[in-house]
Amino acid sequence: MEVESPNEIMNNELVPVEDTQSMETEMQLDLLEPEANHLVELTPNIVEPQPTKRRKKKSVVWEHFTIETVGAGCRRAYCKQCKQSFAYSTGNKVAGTSHLKRHIAKGTCPVVLRNQERNNPPYSAPPKMSSFTDTPKRRYRTASVPYLSFDADRCRHEIARMIIMHDYPLHMVEHPGFMAFVQNLQPRFDMVSFNTVQGDCVATYLREKASIQRVIEGIPGRICLTLDLWPSSRTVGYMFVSGQFIDSEWKMHRKLLNVIMEPYPESATAFSHSVAACLSDWNMDGKLFSVTINQPLNDTATDNMRALLSVKNPLVLDGQLLVGNCLARSLSKIFEDAVISVDGLVKMIRDSVKYVKTSESREEKFIELKQQLQVPSSKTLAIDDQTRWNTTYEMLLAAWELKEVFSCLDTMDPDYKDTPTEENWKQVEILCTYLKPLFDTANLLTTAGSPTTNTFFHEAWKIQLELVRAASSEDPFVSTLTKSMQENFDKYWKSSCFILAIAVVMDPRFKLKLVEFSFSKIYGDDSASYVKIVDDGIHELFNEYIALPLPLTPAYTEVVNGQSGKPQDPQGVVSNGVGLTDFDVYMMETTSQLSKSELDQYLEESLLPRVHEFDVVGWWKVNRMKYPTLSKMACDILSIPVCTVPAGSVFDTVRKEMDSYRCSLRPETVEALICAKDWLQTETGEAPKAPVKVEVPI
């Protein structure tokens, strides 16, 4: 093969790569010559190149090296910048230029680096690895790697995002292992300190907060808050304050707004203080609609919260929109009480599942027996995680469907002795029957999106009705099991049924009719008085919305501008108050008492057909011109959250607690790290943005 001259390098020839090291070397060379075109040779048996004239191109290497003769038949290459010498040729043996290119790529020559950064702008995307074509004898490079310039500020930004997104400790930047890794990855990066990366994380939080602030300022309606108190080992508490609202595009949002350290979390003012701090921080005075908390409050704390609500939103039912229980926590508590009441039964099933799942041979016997018995169940056995109650329910349900296999397992495995009896399996069936509504309701809280409030009225009234009936059952097992469940859920129902009921009235498929029907089932002859409470409450709320001023938000600015932009009367009649403006006022005053309100007109219209998937917020968006005031009220009501915890914590049986590391940080830093993570997850698509279409019973 023809030998290259010092001033010319072949760029369009076959490049054999004998091992992994040479492959990596060739990839490094492309960083210096991104313009080179490397052709693919697919015929592995060619030994000699064709004797045709090939295009040659000058290599960038010779811009940085000179060739000098140092002896008879011996030449060396010298770096123009650092004067270091390298072997080039001895007699007929030529060393080539690969090692010279590696020297440039190491970054030891400042001139080379400055030229590269000037000619190649920063590129944030990851490098594309060279692809190779494998043949019996050789592998050939088919693509080159684009050059990436070094950007120290970008690296710091990505380190801050990494720490936020993955809950890494801030001190990791000072860990020797991490420092060594970064130094080997990029020697030119000056490693940041704890204080520096803390500032970078707070800066990231402030940038994201500014964008969230703009969204909140532009919402046409009000905002609903949820409060979730986390204890800690240091006796201080951390209040997680989230906001749920519908924006000007009629899309549901849920954002974590604040993480506030409460020195005395058990005090009667902890919850009201956090609400006031959140409203002040986000400048949301006049926008508060409702508050949902994660635990029942004592009388003093409840009075403090209602007093704050009546001050912050005095025109909205005088502060009555306080949801005193989190639905997810209520369901978890009810499940725990049910399992405790039949603890021996659950332990028996758990031990049987554990016996099968902890031995590969026993599991094979179990599967073989299932096939022989032709059991139709598709369930798979799994040992439950007792910190997640859904896993316990799924374990019990799977074991019950496979009860025939367990009943015959002792015939194939004499060591299996604790076989549940037929009566035990009957009890498991009853237990699963009453746990299923809890499980299905909790699953709604984990769906992609934020289900509107009306969805949970369907679930709550059915659970209330079934537990009331079961608690009075003549079967002692059923009554014992469901009595504590009914007592616990009754507390949730009494504190939340009013808000759930006015929410379902805003669903045009049900309106007040479903409230009348469900209350008649639950309260019997006393149902009329309870229905009247809902009817009076929603009319009172509507009258208060009529009295509210029209907010100058983007959703309504066009209307205001459209009115102000109309041509004025050339004679100045309208501006003088003698023309149509006074006429409009006269018409409103004389006809307001005779015409029906938007609410009454809405309630008297026929119900919409019931369909499985229905976007109730989308319906109000379409009908906002027909019901301008009622649509605003409907959006605020439908955005009231019934749950204070994120989707991933709905099934938790253990309350979240702030870890000792975060407790050691400044409260401002803790808030920045946790809130920024919530916002960045939404930005990257890990959290939902659009409202969900929820199925309801037909």
Side-chain angles (χ1 to χ4, degrees), residues 584-652:
D584 291 338
V585 174
Y586 169 77
M587 290 297 298
M588 292 176 62
E589 291 176 349
T590 57
T591 60
S592 60
Q593 295 180 355
L594 299 177
S595 62
K596 294 180 180 178
S597 68
E598 293 177 27
L599 177 58
D600 290 331
Q601 180 183 346
Y602 165 76
L603 292 176
E604 291 179 7
E605 289 180 348
S606 300
L607 301 180
L608 290 185
R610 296 195 301 276
V611 294
H612 279 294
E613 291 188 354
F614 181 73
D615 183 1
V616 64
V617 175
W619 186 89
W620 283 106
K621 177 182 179 181
V622 172
N623 290 273
R624 67 188 184 278
M625 300 304 293
K626 183 178 180 180
Y627 305 111
T629 301
L630 190 59
S631 62
K632 291 188 295 179
M633 186 180 83
C635 284
D636 290 340
I637 293 175
L638 293 172
S639 60
I640 297 177
V642 298
C643 179
T644 66
V645 299
S649 301
V650 166
F651 290 104
D652 287 353

Coordinates of all heavy atoms in Angstrom, one line a residue, residues 584-652:
D584 N -78.9 49.4 28.0 CA -78.5 48.1 28.4 C -78.7 47.9 29.9 O -79.2 46.9 30.4 CB -77.1 47.8 28.0 CG -76.9 47.7 26.5 OD1 -77.9 47.4 25.9 OD2 -75.8 47.9 26.1
V585 N -78.3 49.0 30.7 CA -78.5 48.9 32.1 C -80.0 48.8 32.5 O -80.4 48.1 33.4 CB -77.9 50.2 32.8 CG1 -78.2 50.2 34.3 CG2 -76.4 50.2 32.5
Y586 N -80.8 49.6 31.8 CA -82.3 49.6 32.0 C -82.8 48.2 31.7 O -83.7 47.7 32.5 CB -82.9 50.6 31.1 CG -84.4 50.5 31.1 CD1 -85.2 51.0 32.1 CD2 -85.1 49.9 30.0 CE1 -86.6 50.9 32.1 CE2 -86.5 49.8 29.9 CZ -87.2 50.3 31.0 OH -88.6 50.2 31.0
M587 N -82.4 47.6 30.7 CA -82.9 46.2 30.3 C -82.5 45.2 31.4 O -83.3 44.3 31.8 CB -82.4 45.8 29.0 CG -83.0 46.6 27.8 SD -84.8 46.3 27.7 CE -84.8 44.6 27.4
M588 N -81.3 45.3 31.9 CA -80.9 44.4 32.9 C -81.7 44.6 34.2 O -82.0 43.6 34.8 CB -79.4 44.6 33.2 CG -78.4 44.2 32.1 SD -76.7 44.5 32.4 CE -76.4 43.5 33.8
E589 N -81.9 45.8 34.6 CA -82.7 46.1 35.8 C -84.1 45.6 35.7 O -84.7 45.1 36.7 CB -82.6 47.5 36.1 CG -81.2 48.0 36.6 CD -81.2 49.5 36.8 OE1 -82.2 50.2 36.4 OE2 -80.2 50.0 37.3
T590 N -84.7 45.8 34.5 CA -86.1 45.5 34.4 C -86.4 44.0 34.1 O -87.5 43.6 34.3 CB -86.8 46.3 33.3 OG1 -86.0 46.1 32.1 CG2 -86.7 47.8 33.7
T591 N -85.4 43.3 33.6 CA -85.7 41.9 33.2 C -85.0 40.9 34.1 O -85.2 39.7 33.9 CB -85.2 41.7 31.7 OG1 -83.8 41.9 31.6 CG2 -86.0 42.6 30.8
S592 N -84.1 41.3 35.0 CA -83.3 40.4 35.8 C -84.2 39.5 36.7 O -83.9 38.3 36.9 CB -82.3 41.1 36.6 OG -82.9 42.0 37.5
Q593 N -85.2 40.1 37.2 CA -86.1 39.3 38.1 C -87.0 38.3 37.3 O -87.5 37.4 37.9 CB -86.9 40.2 38.9 CG -86.1 41.1 39.9 CD -86.9 42.0 40.7 OE1 -88.2 42.1 40.5 NE2 -86.3 42.7 41.6
L594 N -87.3 38.6 36.0 CA -88.2 37.8 35.3 C -87.4 36.6 34.6 O -88.0 35.5 34.5 CB -88.9 38.6 34.2 CG -89.7 39.8 34.8 CD1 -90.3 40.6 33.6 CD2 -90.8 39.3 35.7
S595 N -86.2 36.8 34.2 CA -85.5 35.8 33.5 C -84.8 34.8 34.5 O -84.5 35.2 35.6 CB -84.4 36.4 32.6 OG -83.4 37.1 33.4
K596 N -84.6 33.6 34.1 CA -84.0 32.6 34.9 C -82.5 32.8 34.9 O -81.9 33.2 33.9 CB -84.3 31.2 34.4 CG -85.8 30.8 34.5 CD -86.0 29.4 33.9 CE -87.5 29.1 34.0 NZ -87.8 27.7 33.5
S597 N -81.9 32.4 36.0 CA -80.4 32.5 36.1 C -79.8 31.4 35.3 O -80.4 30.4 34.9 CB -80.0 32.4 37.6 OG -80.2 31.1 38.0
E598 N -78.5 31.6 35.0 CA -77.7 30.6 34.3 C -77.8 29.2 35.0 O -78.0 28.2 34.4 CB -76.2 31.0 34.2 CG -76.0 32.2 33.3 CD -74.5 32.5 33.3 OE1 -73.7 31.6 33.6 OE2 -74.2 33.7 33.1
L599 N -77.7 29.3 36.4 CA -77.7 28.0 37.1 C -79.1 27.3 37.0 O -79.1 26.1 36.8 CB -77.4 28.3 38.6 CG -77.5 27.1 39.6 CD1 -76.5 26.0 39.1 CD2 -77.2 27.6 41.0
D600 N -80.2 28.1 37.2 CA -81.5 27.4 37.1 C -81.8 26.9 35.6 O -82.3 25.8 35.5 CB -82.6 28.4 37.4 CG -82.6 28.7 38.9 OD1 -82.2 27.9 39.7 OD2 -82.9 29.9 39.3
Q601 N -81.3 27.7 34.7 CA -81.5 27.2 33.3 C -80.7 25.9 33.0 O -81.2 25.0 32.4 CB -81.0 28.3 32.3 CG -81.1 28.0 30.9 CD -80.6 29.0 29.9 OE1 -80.3 30.1 30.4 NE2 -80.3 28.7 28.7
Y602 N -79.5 25.9 33.6 CA -78.6 24.7 33.4 C -79.3 23.5 34.1 O -79.3 22.4 33.6 CB -77.3 25.0 34.0 CG -76.4 23.7 34.3 CD1 -75.8 23.1 33.2 CD2 -76.2 23.3 35.6 CE1 -75.0 21.9 33.5 CE2 -75.5 22.1 35.8 CZ -74.8 21.5 34.8 OH -74.1 20.4 35.1
L603 N -79.8 23.7 35.3 CA -80.3 22.6 36.1 C -81.6 22.0 35.5 O -81.9 20.8 35.6 CB -80.6 23.0 37.5 CG -79.4 23.3 38.4 CD1 -79.8 23.8 39.8 CD2 -78.5 22.0 38.5
E604 N -82.4 22.9 34.8 CA -83.7 22.5 34.2 C -83.5 21.8 32.9 O -84.5 21.1 32.4 CB -84.6 23.7 34.1 CG -85.1 24.2 35.5 CD -86.0 25.4 35.3 OE1 -86.3 25.7 34.2 OE2 -86.3 26.0 36.4
E605 N -82.4 22.0 32.2 CA -82.2 21.3 30.9 C -82.0 19.8 31.1 O -81.6 19.3 32.2 CB -81.0 21.9 30.2 CG -81.2 23.3 29.7 CD -80.0 23.9 29.0 OE1 -78.9 23.3 29.1 OE2 -80.1 25.0 28.4
S606 N -82.3 19.1 30.0 CA -82.2 17.6 30.1 C -80.7 17.2 30.3 O -79.8 17.9 29.9 CB -82.7 17.0 28.8 OG -84.1 17.4 28.6
L607 N -80.6 16.0 31.0 CA -79.3 15.5 31.2 C -78.7 15.0 29.9 O -79.4 14.5 29.0 CB -79.4 14.3 32.1 CG -79.9 14.6 33.5 CD1 -79.9 13.3 34.3 CD2 -79.2 15.7 34.2
L608 N -77.3 15.1 29.8 CA -76.7 14.6 28.6 C -76.6 13.1 28.7 O -76.7 12.5 29.8 CB -75.2 15.1 28.6 CG -75.0 16.6 28.3 CD1 -73.5 16.9 28.1 CD2 -75.8 17.0 27.0
P609 N -76.5 12.4 27.5 CA -76.4 10.9 27.6 C -75.1 10.5 28.3 O -74.1 11.2 28.2 CB -76.3 10.6 26.1 CG -76.9 11.7 25.3 CD -76.6 12.9 26.2
R610 N -75.2 9.5 29.1 CA -74.1 9.0 29.8 C -73.1 8.2 29.0 O -73.5 7.2 28.4 CB -74.5 8.2 31.0 CG -75.3 9.0 32.0 CD -75.5 8.2 33.4 NE -76.1 6.9 33.2 CZ -77.4 6.8 33.2 NH1 -78.2 7.8 33.3 NH2 -77.9 5.6 33.1
V611 N -71.9 8.6 28.9 CA -70.9 7.9 28.1 C -69.7 7.6 29.0 O -69.5 8.3 30.1 CB -70.4 8.7 26.9 CG1 -71.5 8.9 25.9 CG2 -69.9 10.1 27.3
H612 N -69.0 6.6 28.7 CA -67.9 6.2 29.6 C -66.8 7.2 29.7 O -66.3 7.6 30.7 CB -67.2 4.9 29.1 CG -68.0 3.6 29.5 ND1 -68.1 3.2 30.8 CD2 -68.7 2.8 28.7 CE1 -68.8 2.1 30.8 NE2 -69.2 1.8 29.6
E613 N -66.4 7.8 28.5 CA -65.4 8.8 28.5 C -66.0 10.2 28.3 O -66.6 10.4 27.2 CB -64.3 8.5 27.5 CG -63.5 7.3 27.8 CD -62.3 7.1 26.8 OE1 -62.3 7.9 25.8 OE2 -61.5 6.2 27.0
F614 N -65.8 11.1 29.2 CA -66.4 12.4 29.1 C -65.5 13.4 29.7 O -65.1 13.3 30.9 CB -67.8 12.4 29.8 CG -68.5 13.7 29.7 CD1 -69.1 14.2 28.5 CD2 -68.6 14.5 30.8 CE1 -69.7 15.4 28.4 CE2 -69.3 15.8 30.7 CZ -69.8 16.2 29.5
D615 N -65.2 14.4 28.9 CA -64.3 15.5 29.4 C -65.2 16.6 29.9 O -65.7 17.5 29.1 CB -63.4 16.0 28.3 CG -62.4 17.1 28.7 OD1 -62.4 17.4 29.9 OD2 -61.6 17.5 27.9
V616 N -65.5 16.7 31.2 CA -66.4 17.6 31.7 C -65.9 19.1 31.6 O -66.6 20.0 31.3 CB -66.8 17.3 33.2 CG1 -65.6 17.4 34.1 CG2 -67.9 18.2 33.7
V617 N -64.6 19.2 31.8 CA -64.0 20.6 31.6 C -64.1 21.0 30.2 O -64.4 22.2 29.9 CB -62.5 20.6 32.1 CG1 -61.9 21.9 31.8 CG2 -62.4 20.2 33.6
G618 N -63.9 20.1 29.3 CA -64.0 20.4 27.9 C -65.4 20.8 27.5 O -65.7 21.7 26.7
W619 N -66.4 20.2 28.2 CA -67.8 20.6 27.9 C -68.1 22.0 28.3 O -68.8 22.8 27.6 CB -68.8 19.7 28.7 CG -70.2 19.9 28.3 CD1 -70.9 19.3 27.3 CD2 -71.1 20.7 29.0 NE1 -72.2 19.7 27.3 CE2 -72.4 20.6 28.3 CE3 -71.0 21.6 30.1 CZ2 -73.5 21.3 28.7 CZ3 -72.2 22.3 30.5 CH2 -73.4 22.2 29.8
W620 N -67.6 22.4 29.5 CA -67.8 23.8 30.0 C -67.0 24.8 29.1 O -67.5 25.9 28.9 CB -67.3 23.9 31.4 CG -68.4 23.3 32.4 CD1 -68.3 22.2 33.1 CD2 -69.6 23.9 32.7 NE1 -69.4 22.0 33.8 CE2 -70.3 23.0 33.6 CE3 -70.3 25.1 32.3 CZ2 -71.5 23.3 34.1 CZ3 -71.5 25.4 32.9 CH2 -72.1 24.5 33.8
K621 N -65.9 24.4 28.6 CA -65.2 25.3 27.6 C -66.0 25.5 26.4 O -66.1 26.7 25.9 CB -63.9 24.6 27.2 CG -63.1 25.4 26.2 CD -61.8 24.7 25.8 CE -61.0 25.5 24.8 NZ -59.8 24.8 24.3
V622 N -66.7 24.5 25.9 CA -67.5 24.7 24.7 C -68.7 25.5 25.0 O -69.2 26.3 24.2 CB -67.9 23.3 24.1 CG1 -69.0 23.4 23.0 CG2 -66.7 22.5 23.6
N623 N -69.2 25.4 26.2 CA -70.5 26.1 26.6 C -70.2 27.4 27.4 O -71.1 27.9 28.1 CB -71.4 25.2 27.4 CG -72.0 24.1 26.5 OD1 -73.0 24.3 25.9 ND2 -71.3 23.0 26.4
R624 N -69.0 27.9 27.4 CA -68.7 29.1 28.2 C -69.4 30.3 27.7 O -69.6 31.2 28.6 CB -67.2 29.3 28.2 CG -66.6 29.8 26.9 CD -65.1 29.8 26.9 NE -64.4 30.2 25.7 CZ -64.2 29.5 24.7 NH1 -64.6 28.2 24.7 NH2 -63.6 30.0 23.6
M625 N -69.8 30.4 26.5 CA -70.5 31.6 26.0 C -72.0 31.6 26.5 O -72.6 32.6 26.8 CB -70.5 31.7 24.5 CG -69.1 31.8 23.9 SD -68.2 33.2 24.6 CE -69.1 34.6 23.9
K626 N -72.5 30.3 26.6 CA -73.9 30.2 27.0 C -74.0 30.4 28.5 O -75.0 30.9 29.0 CB -74.4 28.8 26.6 CG -75.8 28.5 27.0 CD -76.2 27.1 26.5 CE -77.7 26.8 26.9 NZ -78.1 25.5 26.5
Y627 N -73.0 29.9 29.3 CA -72.9 30.1 30.7 C -71.7 30.8 31.1 O -70.8 30.2 31.7 CB -73.0 28.7 31.4 CG -74.2 27.8 31.0 CD1 -74.0 26.7 30.2 CD2 -75.5 28.1 31.4 CE1 -75.0 25.9 29.9 CE2 -76.5 27.3 31.0 CZ -76.3 26.2 30.3 OH -77.4 25.4 29.9
P628 N -71.5 32.1 30.9 CA -70.3 32.8 31.2 C -69.9 32.8 32.7 O -68.7 32.6 33.0 CB -70.5 34.2 30.7 CG -72.0 34.3 30.6 CD -72.5 33.0 30.3
T629 N -70.9 33.0 33.6 CA -70.6 33.0 35.0 C -70.5 31.6 35.6 O -69.6 31.2 36.3 CB -71.6 33.8 35.8 OG1 -71.6 35.1 35.3 CG2 -71.3 33.8 37.2
L630 N -71.5 30.7 35.2 CA -71.5 29.4 35.7 C -70.3 28.6 35.3 O -69.8 27.7 36.0 CB -72.8 28.7 35.2 CG -73.1 27.3 35.9 CD1 -73.3 27.5 37.4 CD2 -74.4 26.8 35.3
S631 N -69.8 28.8 34.1 CA -68.6 28.1 33.6 C -67.4 28.4 34.5 O -66.6 27.5 34.7 CB -68.3 28.4 32.1 OG -68.0 29.8 32.0
K632 N -67.2 29.6 34.9 CA -66.1 30.0 35.8 C -66.3 29.3 37.1 O -65.3 28.7 37.7 CB -66.1 31.5 36.0 CG -65.7 32.3 34.8 CD -65.5 33.8 35.2 CE -66.7 34.4 35.6 NZ -66.6 35.8 36.0
M633 N -67.5 29.3 37.7 CA -67.7 28.6 38.9 C -67.5 27.1 38.8 O -66.9 26.4 39.7 CB -69.1 28.9 39.4 CG -69.4 28.3 40.8 SD -71.1 28.7 41.4 CE -72.0 27.3 40.6
A634 N -67.9 26.5 37.7 CA -67.8 25.1 37.5 C -66.3 24.7 37.5 O -65.9 23.7 38.0 CB -68.5 24.7 36.2
C635 N -65.5 25.5 36.8 CA -64.0 25.2 36.7 C -63.4 25.2 38.1 O -62.5 24.3 38.4 CB -63.3 26.1 35.7 SG -63.7 25.8 34.0
D636 N -63.8 26.2 38.9 CA -63.2 26.2 40.2 C -63.6 25.0 41.1 O -62.8 24.4 41.8 CB -63.6 27.5 40.9 CG -62.9 28.8 40.3 OD1 -61.9 28.6 39.6 OD2 -63.5 29.9 40.5
I637 N -64.9 24.7 41.0 CA -65.4 23.5 41.7 C -64.7 22.2 41.3 O -64.3 21.4 42.1 CB -66.9 23.4 41.6 CG1 -67.6 24.6 42.3 CG2 -67.4 22.1 42.2 CD1 -69.1 24.7 42.2
L638 N -64.6 22.0 40.0 CA -64.1 20.8 39.4 C -62.6 20.6 39.7 O -62.1 19.5 39.5 CB -64.4 20.7 37.9 CG -65.9 20.6 37.6 CD1 -66.1 20.7 36.1 CD2 -66.5 19.2 38.1
S639 N -61.9 21.7 40.0 CA -60.5 21.6 40.3 C -60.2 21.4 41.8 O -59.0 21.4 42.2 CB -59.8 22.8 39.8 OG -60.3 24.0 40.4
I640 N -61.2 21.3 42.6 CA -60.9 21.0 44.1 C -60.3 19.6 44.2 O -60.9 18.6 43.8 CB -62.3 21.1 44.9 CG1 -62.9 22.5 44.8 CG2 -62.0 20.7 46.3 CD1 -64.2 22.6 45.5
P641 N -59.1 19.5 44.7 CA -58.5 18.2 44.9 C -59.0 17.4 46.1 O -59.3 18.0 47.1 CB -57.0 18.5 45.1 CG -57.0 19.9 45.6 CD -58.2 20.6 45.1
V642 N -59.2 16.1 46.0 CA -59.6 15.3 47.1 C -58.4 14.6 47.7 O -58.6 13.9 48.7 CB -60.6 14.3 46.6 CG1 -61.9 15.0 46.1 CG2 -60.1 13.3 45.6
C643 N -57.2 14.7 47.2 CA -56.1 14.0 47.6 C -54.9 15.0 47.8 O -54.7 15.9 47.0 CB -55.7 12.9 46.6 SG -54.2 11.9 47.1
T644 N -54.1 14.8 48.9 CA -53.0 15.7 49.2 C -51.7 15.1 48.8 O -50.6 15.8 48.9 CB -53.0 16.0 50.7 OG1 -52.7 14.9 51.4 CG2 -54.3 16.6 51.1
V645 N -51.6 13.8 48.4 CA -50.3 13.2 48.2 C -50.2 12.9 46.7 O -51.2 12.8 45.9 CB -50.2 11.8 48.9 CG1 -50.3 12.1 50.4 CG2 -51.3 10.8 48.5
P646 N -48.9 12.8 46.2 CA -48.7 12.5 44.7 C -49.2 11.1 44.4 O -49.4 10.3 45.3 CB -47.2 12.7 44.6 CG -46.6 12.5 45.9 CD -47.6 13.0 46.9
A647 N -49.3 10.8 43.1 CA -49.8 9.5 42.7 C -49.0 8.4 43.2 O -49.5 7.3 43.5 CB -49.9 9.5 41.1
G648 N -47.7 8.5 43.3 CA -46.8 7.4 43.7 C -47.0 7.1 45.2 O -46.5 6.0 45.6
S649 N -47.7 7.9 46.0 CA -47.8 7.7 47.4 C -49.2 7.3 47.8 O -49.5 7.2 49.0 CB -47.4 8.9 48.2 OG -46.0 9.2 47.9
V650 N -50.1 7.1 46.9 CA -51.6 6.9 47.2 C -51.7 5.6 48.0 O -52.6 5.6 48.9 CB -52.4 6.8 45.9 CG1 -53.8 6.2 46.1 CG2 -52.5 8.2 45.2
F651 N -51.0 4.6 47.7 CA -51.2 3.3 48.4 C -50.2 3.1 49.6 O -50.2 2.0 50.2 CB -50.9 2.1 47.4 CG -52.0 2.0 46.4 CD1 -51.8 2.4 45.1 CD2 -53.2 1.4 46.7 CE1 -52.8 2.3 44.1 CE2 -54.2 1.3 45.8 CZ -54.0 1.7 44.5
D652 N -49.5 4.1 50.0 CA -48.6 4.0 51.1 C -49.3 3.8 52.4 O -50.4 4.4 52.7 CB -47.7 5.3 51.3 CG -46.7 5.4 50.2 OD1 -46.5 4.4 49.4 OD2 -46.0 6.4 50.1

